[in-house]
Amino acid sequence: MNENDKGSSSMVIGYWMSDRKSQKLNWIEFGKVCRQHGYELVKLDLEKPLEDQGPFAVILHKLTEIIARNDEKAIQIIDRIEQYIKDHPKVLIIDPLDSVRTLLDRYKTYNVVLNTTLNNIDVFTPTFVEILSTNVKENIKKLKNAGVTFPFICKPFVAQGTTYCHQMSVIFNERGVADCKPPCVAQSFINHNAILYKLYVVGDHYQMVERPSLKNFYASNDDRDTITFDSHSVSKSDSSSELSVLDPSESAKGSSIDPIKLHSIVKILGSYLNMSLYGVDVVVENDTNRHAIIDINAYPGYDGFPDFFGKLIDCVISRRAQSVCSKAYFEDSGFDTSDSSDEKKSRAKLNSINQYN
């Protein structure tokens, strides 16, 4: 940015996402929307210091792939970004990197849901446990102690940003436990008539989109082999997987989604996650009508979200106003607003995950 631009630099949104993501979202159009609201949209060059590119009012990003990569170059990039944020505390970041790290770790994410008040409205996350060992007997004992039932879904620890994060398995019996590939998370499977509800959240706005999902499965003694699948091939809007076809003896009719519960999910999760852009995968358990959260993702695809760019700029404006008011309050109150990043622990966790892959 040259010197002549710096008169309006307080209204610059620095952003980064992959070229594939920006093309899919038609990001050029968002630049036009930003200008209509007095903002300039500038893509960050992650190879250079941010100090030479700013100053910025907002940093908007999808850095999941870089955070998950966790190699030396990726660490340097994230360090530069975090140092800039630390040196410029008035810059709004959407979304905080520590919050994104939480959602990259499925085990941490499920624990967040577990510790909310959602259970008071009959919303839950199915029982789960982390699998770190290849010892089958040890893992069977661990599954039993955690209350994870057959069949269960075996999911990679890392939820986004890798080639293998969507590679999952349905485990039907103790024999199939040998098919778990640590580090992973085992989560009890909830029969839901092959219907997945995706909640796309943008600040204070959200949209529900219905997608196909896995059909109903039941525990089997020792006669059923593990099923492996890519969740993207099952639950995209245009998916036509045989794994989503209900058996002839089963009816597609059953429990239905509750809009009031969806509203509560967004409201409650928002306060716990400290995120503005995220997606929640919800299924409705057959017969009981209980709503189960089975995954949460940072900055999802937003397919089918009406007026996404309009809602996104609304989010930027409202979050910036909230941030300014909040920081002014803490400065006046004398509270310590220094960085409390848990960076070392997060890196250690990612290193332990990456050594298996």
Side-chain angles (χ1 to χ4, degrees):
M1 183 177 299
N2 61 46
E3 232 18 76
N4 293 330
D5 294 328
K6 292 193 176 182
S8 60
S9 60
S10 62
M11 298 294 282
V12 172
I13 300 174
Y15 81 95
W16 191 90
M17 64 180 64
S18 68
D19 290 340
R20 178 181 58 84
K21 180 77 173 179
S22 60
Q23 289 171 7
K24 181 181 178 183
L25 290 172
N26 194 15
W27 206 242
I28 294 175
E29 291 301 314
F30 183 56
K32 296 177 182 178
V33 172
C34 289
R35 285 193 290 275
Q36 291 170 2
H37 290 80
Y39 286 88
E40 189 67 28
L41 191 63
V42 175
K43 184 167 185 176
L44 302 177
D45 185 342
L46 300 184
E47 303 294 329
K48 299 178 180 178
L50 267 63
E51 290 286 357
D52 299 338
Q53 304 173 58
F56 304 103
V58 181
I59 292 178
L60 176 65
H61 70 90
K62 183 175 174 64
L63 291 164
T64 49
E65 293 178 13
I66 294 175
I67 296 172
R69 212 172 71 206
N70 202 45
D71 56 28
E72 183 177 353
K73 184 177 180 181
I75 291 172
Q76 290 175 352
I77 289 171
I78 298 302
D79 280 349
R80 281 199 295 269
I81 294 171
E82 293 201 308
Q83 187 61 50
Y84 183 85
I85 294 168
K86 184 176 181 180
D87 292 342
H88 302 274
K90 292 184 179 180
V91 175
L92 172 66
I93 176 118
I94 300 179
D95 279 307
L97 297 187
D98 279 345
S99 298
V100 174
R101 288 189 185 96
T102 295
L103 293 191
L104 286 180
D105 184 327
R106 282 192 167 100
Y107 184 69
K108 281 186 178 180
T109 299
Y110 299 150
N111 272 297
V112 169
V113 179
L114 193 66
N115 290 317
T116 68
T117 58
L118 284 168
N119 192 55
N120 294 339
I121 58 169
D122 223 11
V123 175
F124 71 108
T125 190
T127 51
F128 62 95
V129 70
E130 57 183 348
I131 301 293
L132 304 176
S133 169
T134 56
N135 186 312
V136 175
K137 288 186 178 179
E138 177 184 316
N139 289 339
I140 290 173
K141 183 178 180 181
K142 198 169 188 180
L143 289 161
K144 289 180 178 177
N145 289 341
V148 176
T149 55
F150 294 106
F152 64 81
I153 301 288
C154 193
K155 305 178 181 182
F157 243 116
V158 181
Q160 290 176 270
T162 70
T163 56
Y164 58 87
C165 61
H166 301 292
Q167 301 298 316
M168 304 183 183
S169 301
V170 184
I171 311 291
F172 294 94
N173 43 54
E174 290 188 357
R175 179 171 64 90
V177 175
D179 297 320
C180 292
K181 296 179 180 179
C184 57
V185 178
Q187 185 182 57
S188 295
F189 181 73
I190 301 296
N191 280 330
H192 52 280
N193 279 339
I195 300 174
L196 173 68
Y197 300 97
K198 298 189 79 71
L199 279 175
Y200 292 135
V201 182
V202 182
D204 299 322
H205 306 280
Y206 68 92
Q207 179 75 23
M208 188 270 288
V209 177
E210 186 175 320
R211 292 282 178 79
S213 184
L214 292 174
K215 67 180 183 178
N216 300 325
F217 289 119
Y218 304 91
S220 177
N221 292 328
D222 284 311
D223 58 344
R224 186 156 192 181
D225 293 334
T226 296
I227 294 175
T228 59
F229 66 98
D230 186 312
S231 61
H232 266 178
S233 67
V234 173
S235 295
K236 287 289 188 181
S237 57
D238 56 353
S239 296
S240 57
S241 170
E242 62 180 14
L243 294 176
S244 298
V245 181
L246 293 177
D247 293 340
S249 60
E250 295 181 310
S251 170
K253 295 180 179 180
S255 303
S256 58
I257 199 75
D258 183 343
I260 296 176
K261 286 185 179 179
L262 293 185
H263 182 77
S264 297
I265 288 172
V266 172
K267 184 176 180 181
I268 293 172
L269 276 183
S271 64
Y272 280 85
L273 294 174
N274 189 28
M275 296 278 290
S276 296
L277 305 176
Y278 61 96
V280 188
D281 289 353
V282 179
V283 297
V284 181
E285 187 176 34
N286 292 352
D287 303 324
T288 69
N289 206 45
R290 295 196 304 164
H291 289 37
I293 295 172
I294 59 172
D295 257 326
I296 307 176
N297 294 306
Y299 209 140
Y302 290 104
D303 296 334
F305 195 107
D307 189 26
F308 172 62
F309 291 149
K311 298 298 189 296
L312 182 54
I313 196 65
D314 284 350
C315 172
V316 168
I317 293 169
S318 64
R319 291 294 187 265
R320 190 172 178 228
Q322 292 168 12
S323 176
V324 169
C325 291
S326 176
K327 286 171 182 173
Y329 169 79
F330 279 105
E331 287 172 0
D332 291 344
S333 302
F335 283 94
D336 180 11
T337 58
S338 59
D339 181 34
S340 60
S341 170
D342 202 11
E343 174 70 11
K344 291 183 179 179
K345 290 182 181 179
S346 296
R347 285 183 184 166
K349 183 67 168 290
L350 278 171
N351 282 328
S352 70
I353 291 170
N354 289 339
Q355 70 178 331
Y356 288 91
N357 298 287

